Amino acid sequence: MASDEREQQALQKRLLECLKRPENLTCAECAMRLPRWASTSLGVFFCTNCSGSHRGLGVHISKVKSTTLDKWTEAQVAHMERVGNAKANAYWEANVRAGVKPGATSGRDACERFIRDKYERQLYKD
């Protein structure tokens, strides 16, 4: 097995451990269970539905990767371990009013609007 392959397996293992933390078991945006996508720039995990909205923000805001399909760097995994959904949302959603954040059954448009308000317009940040 090549060194690069071993390194990717080790990084993948750390990433999956990070996903097992209680705060990362649901999407940072809509609370859908078992997110499998991440923003390496924001440090959050999210579901497939919300991944499209994150991609739409542009890489200057959110750099999107699959937690299982893409290659990761040490720095990216370390950032995900340091931040995670709870810490990121404490900052980005500090001023969210009750009922504003979409739920797991909310439509794609509601999620898209919330994500844009949250990161692009920075309406709720601390």
Side-chain angles (χ1 to χ4, degrees):
M1 187 186 303
S3 173
D4 184 49
E5 236 181 282
R6 277 194 302 275
E7 181 183 354
Q8 279 303 306
Q9 284 182 344
L11 292 171
Q12 196 69 38
K13 184 177 179 182
R14 286 174 50 200
L15 198 57
L16 292 177
E17 286 301 313
C18 194
L19 276 164
K20 290 179 184 177
R21 291 186 199 155
E23 68 268 21
N24 297 331
L25 289 174
T26 58
C27 174
E29 315 305 351
C30 75
M32 179 87 66
R33 298 232 350 107
L34 304 175
R36 289 295 173 246
W37 292 86
S39 170
T40 60
S41 50
L42 298 169
V44 294
F45 295 99
F46 40 83
C47 68
T48 303
N49 291 339
C50 291
S51 71
S53 297
H54 270 267
R55 284 189 191 285
L57 293 172
V59 294
H60 63 290
I61 297 174
S62 185
K63 294 178 181 167
V64 178
K65 279 190 173 248
S66 167
T67 59
T68 56
L69 303 173
D70 290 320
K71 288 191 177 204
W72 287 70
T73 66
E74 166 64 33
Q76 290 168 336
V77 173
H79 182 62
M80 299 306 292
E81 290 171 332
R82 272 191 315 276
V83 182
N85 292 356
K87 193 180 277 187
N89 282 348
Y91 175 77
W92 289 103
E93 296 180 3
N95 298 305
V96 172
R97 293 182 324 277
V100 171
K101 186 169 180 168
T105 58
S106 297
R108 188 174 228 127
D109 289 343
C111 291
E112 168 97 21
R113 196 168 32 258
F114 177 75
I115 291 167
R116 286 201 178 273
D117 286 347
K118 182 176 174 179
Y119 299 110
E120 193 174 65
R121 296 179 190 96
Q122 302 182 10
L123 297 182
Y124 315 120
K125 79 176 189 176
D126 186 9

